[in-house]
Amino acid sequence: MSTIELTKENFDQVVSDNDFVLIDFWASWCGPCLRFAPVYEKASERHTDLVFAKVDTEAQQELAAAFDIRSIPTLMIVRENVAVFAQPGALPEPALEDVIGQARELDMDAVRKAIDEAQAGAQG
């Protein structure tokens, strides 16, 4: 599957319509971004059941700011509308595969419960 270009116009719909979205925040002038691109593309071909998306941080500065992206490339994984992973840096292929595997194995009910408990603790 080819990657989807995310913009502020389609971001919410793509993330809410899909249970598992990988997002690569990148820019055309960024050397590490360009080296990570083929690794990311290969992973998208291997994991055809997942949505692979890219955010051009130059063209989508509002979106990058909304996620407090300070370093690129940054990889984010959103499962069931919850950001479960966000890390700057170009991942080598084995590390990307490992992160995808860990994100697949997450018990999202347990993740949501932990978030709810953390929020309740912060309020109380």
Side-chain angles (χ1 to χ4, degrees):
M1 176 181 209
S2 62
T3 57
I4 298 170
E5 188 66 37
L6 290 181
T7 65
K8 65 181 184 181
E9 290 77 23
N10 72 355
F11 185 91
D12 288 340
Q13 182 171 2
V14 169
V15 169
S16 60
D17 287 355
N18 298 282
D19 284 344
F20 198 123
V21 183
L22 292 94
I23 305 166
D24 175 21
F25 290 87
W26 71 287
S28 60
W29 52 263
C30 164
C33 298
L34 300 178
R35 287 190 293 278
F36 180 60
V39 172
Y40 191 70
E41 192 63 36
K42 260 199 236 175
S44 77
E45 291 164 8
R46 268 194 306 277
H47 300 279
T48 55
D49 58 321
L50 307 180
V51 173
F52 284 73
K54 291 175 97 59
V55 173
D56 180 343
T57 57
E58 289 296 302
Q60 299 298 319
Q61 292 181 11
E62 265 183 67
L63 206 47
F67 286 94
D68 200 25
I69 302 301
R70 298 191 183 282
S71 179
I72 52 173
T74 290
L75 177 67
M76 183 176 290
I77 299 177
V78 179
R79 275 204 53 201
E80 299 173 21
N81 289 311
V82 177
V84 296
F85 178 85
Q87 178 180 308
L91 295 174
E93 193 171 327
L96 178 57
E97 288 298 318
D98 184 50
V99 165
I100 291 170
Q102 288 182 49
R104 281 186 187 275
E105 292 170 8
L106 287 173
D107 176 343
M108 290 308 294
D109 289 334
V111 169
R112 277 190 288 280
K113 183 178 179 198
I115 291 169
D116 290 345
E117 289 171 356
Q119 288 173 342
Q123 292 170 355

